[in-house]
């Protein structure tokens, strides 16, 4: 039996207990485990994140730049705060020594050959826990043919996420016939947040993005979208951050870049160091030429 220790004496009577707030908006009432997982996704020092989206294969197959994730993505993964991917790629290709956050694609079903909004929940919560993920991502098709079904996918995941302390990322999907404007994104992002999403991924629009971010009570991360020239992508990143985004979830504008390693470092500099687009582009060129 251990010896009885002496009774404590230093209780700090005159020192108030600190109650620290949490660095993400809309997250102060979350439980410890969910906040801890959020701290793997977002950098606590800046309150921002650079997510590297590599989940495109779940409906597109081996798209350009993702033919060999072991060759194209693993070497640059450490530059990302978080990877967004499927459980198949996580298990088969990503080293378990990876220290960043993992946001797991949790919805799926149709391929690019079918109606994309007809998704179902595609991951069991127990498998997500087994994989030690930081968050689960679900596509939400506001205005789509299967809008209600996708919303129910979100709410079911939110219930499970709240039960087990796993944040849920709602990804606003835009159909080919829908207008990509601030009015639509205000609607889609607010609906996702109202129904319990812990953070939202959406597209940048030059006219009114600040209103999209301001009207959403949880963090927004900007979707990278289709491949555009590097300087334009850096300008889009800068503008989104300045107008209220808490980070980016970028894929094609990184892994389809002339130099993915240089590009992700330039994006990081904009997100975490507030570099201007021109400064970040000069950094991109410098890093690109160093490699060659």
């Amino acid at each position: 039996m251990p010896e009885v220790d002496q009774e404590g004496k230093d209780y700090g009577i005159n020192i108030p207990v600190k109650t620290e707030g949490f660095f993400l908006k809309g997250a102060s009432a979350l439980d410890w485990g969910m906040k801890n997982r959020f701290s793997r996704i977002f950098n606590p020092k800046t309150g921002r994140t650079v997510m590297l989206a590599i989940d495109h294969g779940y409906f597109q197959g081996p798209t350009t730049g993702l033919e060999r994730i072991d060759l194209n993505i693993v070497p640059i993964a450490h530059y990302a705060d978080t990877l967004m991917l499927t459980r198949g790629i996580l298990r088969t290709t990503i080293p378990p020594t990876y220290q960043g956050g993992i946001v797991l694609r949790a919805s799926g079903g149709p391929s690019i050959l079918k109606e994309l909004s007809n998704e179902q929940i595609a991951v069991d919560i127990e498998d997500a826990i087994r994989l030690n993920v930081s968050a689960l991502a679900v596509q939400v098709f506001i205005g789509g043919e299967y809008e209600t079904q996708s919303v129910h996918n979100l709410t079911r995941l939110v219930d499970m996420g709240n039960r087990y302390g796993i944040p849920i990322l709602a990804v606003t999907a835009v159909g080919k016939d829908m207008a990509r404007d601030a009015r639509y994104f205000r609607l889609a992002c607010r609906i996702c947040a109202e129904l319990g999403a812990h953070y939202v991924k959406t597209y940048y629009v030059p006219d009114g993005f600040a209103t999209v971010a301001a009207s959403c009570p949880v963090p927004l991360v900007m979707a990278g979208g289709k491949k555009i020239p590097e300087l334009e992508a850096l300008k889009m990143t800068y503008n989104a951050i300045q107008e209220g985004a808490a980070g980016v979830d970028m894929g094609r504008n990184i892994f389809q870049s002339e130099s993915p390693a240089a590009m992700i470092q330039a994006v990081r500099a904009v997100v975490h160091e507030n570099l201007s687009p021109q400064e970040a582009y000069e950094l991109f060129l410098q890093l690109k030429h160093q490699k060659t």
Side-chain angles (χ1 to χ4, degrees):
M1 186 172 180
E3 297 178 0
V4 177
D5 204 354
Q6 293 183 349
E7 186 177 357
K9 297 179 180 179
D10 187 4
Y11 295 99
I13 300 296
N14 297 316
I15 304 174
V17 175
K18 289 185 178 180
T19 303
E20 295 187 6
F22 196 60
F23 63 91
L24 289 178
K25 76 171 180 177
S28 61
L30 299 178
D31 207 348
W32 190 94
M34 197 171 287
K35 290 177 180 176
N36 180 259
R37 285 187 166 92
F38 258 142
S39 298
R40 301 182 213 162
I41 299 169
F42 292 87
N43 185 322
K45 294 181 180 179
T46 64
R48 297 173 182 170
T49 185
V50 174
M51 295 173 57
L52 178 57
I54 57 170
D55 59 330
H56 304 66
Y58 93 97
F59 71 101
Q60 288 185 334
T63 191
T64 302
L66 297 180
E67 300 93 340
R68 287 286 300 273
I69 289 176
D70 59 327
L71 300 180
N72 300 339
I73 299 300
V74 171
I76 65 171
H78 64 282
Y79 293 120
D81 297 304
T82 305
L83 297 178
M84 180 168 167
L85 73 179
T86 62
R87 59 178 166 178
I89 291 300
L90 180 60
R91 278 198 166 98
T92 61
T93 313
I94 303 302
T97 52
Y98 175 70
Q99 296 296 303
I102 295 294
V103 176
L104 196 69
R105 167 63 64 177
S107 62
S111 73
I112 53 174
L113 305 177
K114 297 289 185 179
E115 168 55 45
L116 290 178
S117 67
N118 189 18
E119 287 196 347
Q120 302 279 356
I121 294 176
V123 171
D124 184 85
I125 191 68
E126 290 186 2
D127 206 27
I129 295 169
R130 190 177 297 116
L131 289 168
N132 195 31
V133 304
S134 306
L136 292 170
V138 56
Q139 210 83 2
V140 182
F141 296 84
I142 300 300
E145 182 177 346
Y146 292 90
E147 174 188 76
T148 299
Q149 178 176 300
S150 71
V151 167
H152 284 174
N153 291 341
L154 167 64
T155 57
R156 288 168 61 198
L157 279 173
V158 166
D159 287 340
M160 288 186 280
N162 286 338
R163 187 175 301 127
Y164 294 103
I166 299 177
I168 304 302
L169 169 64
V171 182
T172 61
V174 184
K176 60 183 178 180
D177 298 323
M178 298 181 197
R180 292 194 179 204
D181 57 22
R183 183 180 181 184
Y184 172 80
F185 289 122
R186 286 194 299 267
L187 173 71
C189 294
R190 183 59 173 262
I191 287 174
C192 290
E194 294 265 0
L195 293 175
H198 302 103
Y199 73 125
V200 178
K201 172 181 174 179
T202 198
Y203 290 93
Y204 178 76
V205 287
D207 185 11
F209 182 80
T211 67
V212 180
S215 61
C216 184
V218 297
L220 284 187
V221 293
M222 183 200 76
K226 66 181 181 180
K227 177 68 176 71
I228 56 179
E230 281 77 6
L231 180 56
E232 290 183 29
L234 293 169
K235 288 180 179 178
M236 181 174 66
T237 298
Y238 179 84
N239 291 338
I241 293 297
Q242 296 304 309
E243 294 172 31
V248 299
D249 188 16
M250 193 169 282
R252 287 169 287 180
N253 277 302
I254 291 175
F255 61 72
Q256 291 179 355
S257 169
E258 297 175 7
S259 176
M263 186 58 180
I264 192 172
Q265 290 178 81
V267 170
R268 282 192 65 85
V270 172
V271 172
H272 291 304
E273 301 172 30
N274 294 311
L275 257 64
S276 70
Q278 188 60 45
E279 290 172 328
Y281 185 62
E282 291 171 3
L283 174 63
F284 165 76
L285 294 176
Q286 175 186 344
L287 294 170
K288 174 187 169 185
H289 292 149
Q290 284 179 0
K291 182 178 179 181
T292 57

